[in-house]
């Protein structure tokens, strides 16, 4: 044999198949999708013998004959028609069927179907330790005889029986037993085999147990909802609390690396590209990694306890009218942290149409990136009332949820039309979760995200940086004059041996009085350059730093205005006229297409000249900025309402679009998501502008 | 006394009644029953059958309502040994819409020794 032994892992859901895969392969695996499908293909490698063993973890199925995507993929892989990406499609060398020792009678149906495939087969009776604890004994010798293949008792959780299994894989042969071909015959065969080989000890526990009692609570219409709310609160509280520290660290590291690049590299376009394109692009994506890892770690733990299946049922009745099921709840809820892990979490939704619907609507949920925008706009709308700000904030979240649910209805009745399958799910027994499995799942999901971040997302960030950075323009005359003035003050101080006061004034007290009266820009010029609202006359002379800061502000505003992004913004401004946006707001909307939170810093640069966008004073200065006529506020109340609605509904996150394309199985779905969300946002924004009296 | 067939309708729209059994949802929690037939779409029927909820299977209703939780015992009725292995069972949650289309025949609890219905029916 030239290549590794190729083994396909087949089994019912909840038989510990993935735990076994993780035990066998550890970190030596890669996850992708089967070509042309949304089904995950996990391929691992086991060091064994000279060439090793390649293991493909197939989707969990109850039968190979069902008309569902998971069963179809298993059928095609076993027939040699389908292989994970990069592999040549060929039937596996060995079929390893994982069965639950505690539910052998049902698992034998799939074993029977596998035996009929005429491939070398090994049967693993997983959870053998649990069966023993429950007083169930299996006659393995008799079972081997009845199945005509090797049978290995194992405990994937403890790692028992794995050595035997590895040897059995190498020695596997085509079974000499062929179970009946009809479903009735197969069921009878499975019953007979199970009845013959299994015995329960007289002391075996019987009847209702703790599972019954817990189920009564966890699936209760009231108590179940309360438990679910507590579980979800704990889950997301943990994510928000524990992810903050690593997120801040990543932000800090990114800023440090960016500063280092700026300090060490020679000035020029390459330095700007590395610092603000590559480093900032990677940093802005990496910052989501802690949330993603924590979410999947905690969901994996919760799922392993057996609780999540009950929670899905509790929430099912609420989501059903919208064409979704309880499976969609956790992905949608986690989208409130970030849509990317939310979309990745839709992998747990078994129905393909429902999964696609959940992917399409997940970004409607108000993610953490929207929060700075909400803070700015609600602050501008209700500067004097914290209660009204809070109400508007809650309203934004509610609008996002309503838009998501209604969009799900539209999607399920148009593009994703099809019967809504009533929920039926096996409720696994309650057990202590495996941290090892949770860690490996987290590693897996984190790696998928990083691969995506290192390719598509980074490329997109670089393109957007380029649009904002080029073409470079000459600094405006006013900025040059301010720099010269600052330089003159420093020279004058040096000449008289005085140390000039370099410290800038506190925001709000900064003064620029150096311009002689005849050089003071007119209102229109001042407004266009963003100077007017900050200029005040004071007796205190300006410091060089004040002047330099002012010059920098003018240069940045002018550079952004003349950049490709700025030009695009000004060109398409008429499109946003019905929403009440001037060219500055349009540039803000255009530049935040990559990431929503960019809007606030863009507006800070455009209006105040500084990227600093935190603090009450800066927000007040942004709010006081006026349009080109020098009188109308940039953020009129009507325009602010319109922006608020627009940002709740619009798809303005390129990383999310990249993940949608990947998870949904095509760019088409990302395009649909973008068009639908932005279209809805446009209509909603125009409506909000109209209702707020913008056209009056 | 046998219940009139007309009242043995499952939840499927247009169902004219079933000759055998009653909807699973009509059982009291803790009751043991045997699956007679299902009145489901082929996809759902085949899925439930693969999960173990098949004709002649013995089950115990753990929870009624939404969701309906049943515990399916090994093997088919008449297999003899199926309910001796009380721990060797599968627990399935069903949306009410599905559960009301599964027709079952209640069976005498005492006939299934040690199946554990007594505590659940308390």
């Amino acid at each position: 044999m030239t290549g590794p032994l190729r083994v396909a892992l087949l089994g019912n859901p909840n038989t510990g198949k993935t735990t076994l895969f993780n035990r066998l392969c550890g970190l030596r695996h890669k996850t992708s999708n089967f070509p042309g499908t949304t089904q995950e293909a996990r391929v691992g490698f086991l060091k064994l013998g000279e060439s090793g063993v390649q293991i493909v973890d197939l989707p969990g199925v109850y039968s190979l004959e069902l008309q569902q995507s998971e069963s179809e993929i298993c059928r095609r892989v076993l027939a040699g028609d389908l292989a994970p990406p990069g592999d040549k499609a060929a039937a596996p060398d060995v079929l390893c069927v994982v069965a639950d020792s505690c539910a052998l009678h049902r698992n034998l149906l799939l074993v029977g179907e596998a035996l009929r495939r005429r491939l070398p087969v090994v049967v693993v009776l997983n959870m053998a330790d649990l069966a023993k604890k429950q007083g169930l004994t299996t006659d393995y010798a008799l079972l081997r005889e009845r199945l005509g293949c090797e049978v290995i008792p194992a405990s994937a959780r403890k790692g028992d029986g794995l050595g035997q299994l590895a040897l059995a894989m190498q020695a596997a042969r085509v079974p000499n037993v062929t179970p009946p071909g009809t479903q009735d015959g197969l069921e009878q065969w499975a019953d007979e085999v199970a009845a013959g080989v299994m015995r329960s000890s007289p002391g075996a526990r019987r009847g209702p147990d703790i599972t019954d009692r817990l189920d009564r609570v966890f699936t209760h219409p009231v108590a179940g909802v309360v438990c679910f709310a507590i579980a979800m609160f704990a889950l997301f509280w943990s994510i928000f609390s524990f992810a903050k520290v690593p997120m801040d660290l990543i932000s800090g590291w990114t800023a440090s690396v960016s500063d280092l690049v700026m300090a060490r590299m020679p000035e020029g376009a390459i330095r700007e590209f590395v610092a603000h394109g590559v480093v900032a692009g990677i940093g802005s994506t990496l910052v989501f990694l802690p949330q993603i890892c924590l979410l999947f770690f905690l969901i994996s733990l919760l799922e392993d306890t057996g609780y999540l299946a009950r929670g899905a049922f509790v929430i099912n009745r609420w989501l059903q009218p919208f064409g979704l099921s309880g499976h969609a709840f956790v992905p949608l809820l986690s989208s409130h942290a970030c849509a990317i892990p939310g979309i990745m979490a839709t992998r747990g939704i078994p129905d393909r149409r429902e999964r696609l619907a959940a992917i399409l609507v997940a970004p409607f949920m108000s993610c953490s990136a929207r929060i700075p925008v909400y803070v700015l706009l609600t602050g501008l709308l209700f500067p004097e009332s914290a209660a009204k700000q809070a109400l508007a904030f809650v309203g934004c979240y509610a609008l996002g949820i309503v838009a998501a649910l209604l969009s799900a209805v539209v999607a399920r009745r148009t593009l994703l039309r099809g019967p809504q399958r009533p929920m039926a799910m096996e409720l696994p027994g309650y057990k202590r979760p495996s941290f090892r499995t949770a860690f490996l799942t987290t590693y897996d999901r984190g790696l998928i995200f990083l691969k995506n971040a290192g390719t598509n997302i980074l490329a997109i960030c670089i393109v957007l940086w380029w649009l904002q950075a080029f073409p470079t323009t000459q600094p405006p005359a006013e900025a040059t004059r301010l720099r010269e003035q600052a330089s003159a003050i420093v020279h004058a101080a040096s000449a008289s041996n005085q140390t000039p006061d370099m410290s800038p004034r506190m925001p709000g007290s900064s003064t620029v009085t150096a311009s002689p009266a005849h050089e003071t820009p007119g209102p229109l010029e001042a407004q266009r350059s963003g100077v007017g609202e900050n200029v005040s006359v004071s007796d205190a002379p300006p410091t060089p730093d004040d002047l330099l800061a002012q010059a920098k502000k003018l240069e940045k505003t002018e550079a952004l205005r003349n950049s490709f992004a700025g030009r695009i913004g000004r060109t398409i401004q008429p499109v946003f006229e019905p929403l009440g946006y001037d060219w500055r707001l349009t540039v803000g909307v255009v530049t935040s297409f990559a990431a929503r939170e960019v809007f606030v810093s863009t507006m800070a640069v455009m209006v105040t000249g500084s990227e600093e966008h935190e603090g009450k004073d800066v927000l007040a200065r942004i709010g006081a900025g006026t349009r080109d006529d020098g009188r109308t506020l940039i953020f009129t109340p009507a325009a602010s309402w319109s922006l608020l609605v627009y940002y709740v509904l619009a798809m303005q996150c390129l990383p999310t679009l990249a993940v949608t394309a990947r998870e949904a199985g095509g760019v088409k779905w990302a395009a649909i998501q973008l068009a639908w969300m932005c279209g809805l946002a446009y209509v909603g924004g125009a409506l909000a502008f109209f209702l707020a009296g913008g056209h009056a | 006394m046998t219940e009139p067939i007309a009242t043995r309708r499952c939840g499927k729209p247009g169902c004219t009644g079933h000759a055998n059994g009653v909807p699973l949802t009509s059982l009291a929690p803790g009751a043991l029953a045997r699956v007679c037939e299902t009145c489901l779409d082929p996809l759902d029927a085949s899925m439930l059958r693969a999960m173990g909820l098949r004709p002649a299977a013995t089950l115990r209703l753990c929870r009624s309502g939404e969701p309906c939780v049943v515990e399916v015992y090994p093997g088919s009725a008449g297999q003899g040994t199926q309910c001796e292995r009380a721990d060797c069972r599968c627990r399935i949650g069903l949306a009410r819409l599905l559960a009301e289309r599964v027709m079952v025949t209640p069976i005498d609890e005492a006939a299934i020794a040690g199946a554990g219905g007594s505590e659940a029916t308390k």
Side-chain angles (χ1 to χ4, degrees):
Chain A
M1 189 181 293
T2 52
L5 185 72
R6 294 164 58 252
V7 176
L9 218 53
L10 178 74
N12 283 182
N14 302 311
T15 51
K17 190 166 61 70
T18 300
T19 310
L20 181 67
F21 177 88
N22 287 336
R23 269 283 173 191
L24 290 170
C25 305
L27 298 178
R28 296 180 302 276
H29 74 269
K30 58 180 180 179
T31 303
S32 53
N33 281 11
F34 281 106
T37 74
T38 55
Q39 284 294 329
E40 201 170 77
R42 300 178 77 216
V43 182
F45 192 78
L46 170 66
K47 284 181 184 171
L48 189 71
E50 285 180 11
S51 47
V53 179
Q54 185 201 58
I55 302 177
V56 179
D57 188 14
L58 294 174
V61 289
Y62 288 105
S63 167
L64 290 171
E65 311 303 333
L66 294 178
Q67 295 305 309
Q68 55 177 211
S69 60
E70 293 90 342
S71 296
E72 191 193 339
I73 282 170
C74 292
R75 283 197 299 269
R76 290 181 61 195
V77 170
L78 298 188
D81 295 336
L82 183 71
D87 279 6
K88 195 177 73 177
D93 299 321
V94 177
L95 181 53
C96 179
V97 190
V98 186
D100 180 355
S101 297
C102 301
L104 186 62
H105 64 288
R106 193 194 64 197
N107 284 248
L108 279 173
L109 294 174
L110 187 63
V111 171
E113 290 177 355
L115 295 178
R116 288 209 303 253
R117 298 274 151 175
R118 310 309 300 160
L119 290 166
V121 173
V122 176
V123 175
V124 183
L125 288 191
N126 195 19
M127 303 187 225
D129 54 333
L130 200 63
K132 192 176 175 185
K133 197 173 164 186
Q134 292 180 354
L136 295 167
T137 53
T138 305
D139 186 339
Y140 296 113
L142 185 58
L143 187 58
R144 282 185 196 106
E145 188 184 308
R146 293 286 175 90
L147 300 183
C149 66
E150 186 59 85
V151 174
I152 308 291
S155 168
R157 187 172 292 263
K158 292 182 176 174
D160 297 342
L162 301 189
Q164 272 181 288
L165 173 61
L167 294 175
M169 283 177 182
Q170 291 181 308
R173 54 188 170 80
V174 177
N176 54 13
V177 168
T178 307
T182 62
Q183 186 65 22
D184 288 339
L186 188 66
E187 285 168 359
Q188 193 179 351
W189 170 85
D191 287 346
E192 285 171 3
V193 172
V197 302
M198 291 199 75
R199 293 283 177 273
S200 62
S201 66
R205 184 167 46 86
R206 291 191 173 106
D209 49 17
I210 189 73
T211 306
D212 265 359
R213 296 189 190 100
L214 288 175
D215 274 359
R216 276 180 215 145
V217 176
F218 290 149
T219 59
H220 190 272
V222 179
V225 172
V226 172
C227 291
F228 194 71
I230 292 170
M232 290 300 115
F233 175 79
L235 179 79
F236 288 98
W237 178 85
S238 305
I239 290 170
F240 277 114
S241 304
F242 301 135
K244 193 178 180 308
V245 175
M247 285 175 86
D248 288 346
L249 279 175
I250 291 172
S251 293
W253 291 337
T254 307
S256 304
V257 173
S258 188
D259 289 346
L260 195 69
V261 170
M262 292 299 280
R264 295 287 171 88
M265 285 184 73
E267 196 172 339
I270 294 177
R271 185 181 77 168
E272 293 292 318
F273 167 73
V274 174
H276 298 135
V278 178
V279 176
I282 291 174
S284 64
T285 308
L286 275 184
V287 79
F288 296 118
L289 188 62
Q291 278 189 349
I292 288 170
C293 290
L294 260 171
L295 176 74
F296 283 108
F297 184 78
L298 295 174
I299 286 182
S300 178
L301 287 182
L302 209 56
E303 192 173 12
D304 219 13
T305 61
Y307 171 72
L308 216 51
R310 277 81 177 174
F313 267 110
V314 166
I315 220 68
N316 182 54
R317 75 190 81 172
W318 293 3
L319 291 179
Q320 260 185 339
F322 303 101
L324 300 171
S325 74
H327 295 292
F329 184 78
V330 170
L332 292 183
L333 191 63
S334 56
S335 296
H336 277 114
C338 173
I340 292 170
I343 289 170
M344 288 169 75
T346 59
R347 290 180 177 216
I349 302 175
D351 184 85
R352 180 182 160 274
R353 289 191 188 92
E354 190 193 328
R355 184 178 174 217
L356 285 172
I359 289 174
L360 290 179
V361 306
F364 275 117
M365 299 295 170
S366 289
C367 62
S368 53
R370 285 179 171 103
I371 291 174
V373 184
Y374 292 174
V375 169
L376 170 71
L377 295 172
T378 55
L380 295 177
L381 281 167
F382 305 108
E384 304 300 332
S385 171
K388 284 181 183 173
Q389 282 180 30
L391 210 60
F393 222 92
V394 172
C396 291
Y397 276 74
L399 178 63
I401 292 168
V402 169
L405 294 177
L406 295 180
S407 297
V409 174
V410 172
R412 291 306 309 266
R413 292 189 180 174
T414 52
L415 289 172
L416 302 168
R417 188 193 292 271
Q420 191 179 356
R421 303 278 301 281
M423 207 164 160
M425 190 162 49
E426 186 177 352
L427 301 177
Y430 293 103
K431 60 177 186 285
R432 197 174 62 234
S434 160
F435 282 84
R436 182 188 167 87
T437 301
F439 168 75
L440 287 168
T441 303
T442 306
Y443 171 82
D444 206 26
R445 296 288 181 261
L447 209 60
I448 291 171
F449 175 74
L450 284 180
K451 278 180 187 167
N452 200 27
T455 52
N456 304 339
I457 297 174
L458 179 61
I460 290 163
C461 289
I462 289 171
V463 168
L464 270 154
W465 164 82
W466 183 80
L467 286 174
Q468 289 179 57
F470 289 97
T472 52
T473 51
Q474 288 296 317
E478 179 67 9
T480 309
R481 193 185 58 73
L482 289 170
R483 284 189 182 279
E484 287 170 358
Q485 199 178 342
S487 179
I489 294 172
V490 173
H491 280 127
S494 307
S496 61
N497 263 344
Q498 289 178 339
T499 306
D501 178 11
M502 297 294 287
S503 59
R505 307 289 175 203
M506 291 299 288
S509 67
S510 65
T511 53
V512 180
T513 56
S515 297
H518 67 275
E519 288 180 5
T520 304
L524 278 180
E525 192 188 341
Q527 294 309 327
R528 187 173 62 75
S529 62
V531 175
E533 65 274 17
N534 296 327
V535 175
S536 61
V537 178
S538 163
D539 292 335
T543 67
D545 275 0
D546 286 337
L547 294 169
L548 289 174
Q550 195 65 30
K552 200 174 173 186
K553 164 191 167 181
L554 290 173
E555 287 163 1
K556 277 192 174 178
T557 306
E558 198 63 15
L560 188 58
R561 185 175 191 273
N562 291 317
S563 69
F564 289 122
R567 290 176 193 186
I568 292 168
R570 281 184 289 137
T571 306
I572 65 170
Q573 188 273 334
V575 176
F576 285 95
E577 187 71 41
L579 282 73
Y581 307 164
D582 74 335
W583 73 265
R584 289 179 181 82
L585 288 179
T586 306
V587 171
V589 169
V590 169
T591 54
S592 63
F593 179 67
R596 300 172 175 91
E597 61 272 37
V598 172
F599 175 76
V600 181
S601 56
T602 302
M603 293 316 295
V605 170
M606 303 268 287
V607 180
T608 73
S610 164
E611 286 184 27
E612 177 65 46
H613 55 82
E614 288 182 1
K616 203 172 176 180
D617 181 70
V618 178
L619 293 182
R621 284 159 62 196
I622 292 174
T626 55
R627 302 189 181 199
D628 285 347
D629 61 8
R631 295 182 304 275
T632 312
L633 290 171
I634 295 171
F635 288 92
T636 62
S640 298
W641 277 116
S642 170
L643 276 167
L644 202 56
V645 172
Y646 186 86
Y647 272 87
V648 170
L649 302 176
M651 163 43 83
Q652 290 182 298
C653 184
L654 281 173
T656 300
L657 282 172
V659 172
T660 293
R662 184 189 181 284
E663 294 294 311
V667 178
K668 177 182 86 171
W669 296 106
I672 290 169
Q673 188 179 54
L674 176 69
W676 173 253
M677 290 185 69
C678 287
L680 205 62
Y682 187 86
V683 173
L687 196 64
F689 186 64
F690 176 76
L691 292 175
H695 291 293
Chain B
M1 189 175 154
T2 313
E3 193 181 4
I5 288 175
T7 62
R8 291 175 179 166
R9 289 187 184 126
C10 71
K12 192 169 186 176
C15 175
T16 53
H18 293 267
N20 298 307
V22 295
L24 175 59
T25 46
S26 65
L27 295 183
L32 283 163
R34 188 172 300 139
V35 178
C36 301
E37 56 183 317
T38 57
C39 197
L40 298 162
D41 295 331
L43 277 177
D44 292 323
S46 54
M47 178 67 167
L48 288 188
R49 187 165 182 166
M51 289 170 85
L53 207 66
R54 62 197 201 216
T58 307
L59 56 84
R60 182 171 67 89
L61 183 70
C62 303
R63 185 189 183 281
S64 196
E66 180 71 60
C68 179
V69 179
V70 295
E71 208 166 54
V72 184
Y73 291 95
S76 303
Q79 201 69 32
T81 56
Q82 72 273 17
C83 287
E84 287 171 12
R85 299 184 300 274
D87 278 298
C88 187
R89 60 203 175 188
C90 306
R91 187 170 283 249
I92 302 172
L94 297 168
R96 192 181 173 87
L97 197 67
L98 285 179
E100 63 190 11
R101 297 180 192 181
V102 176
M103 305 301 289
V104 296
T105 308
I107 51 178
D108 184 6
E109 215 181 292
I112 310 296
S118 56
E119 189 178 331
T121 49
K122 276 178 189 174

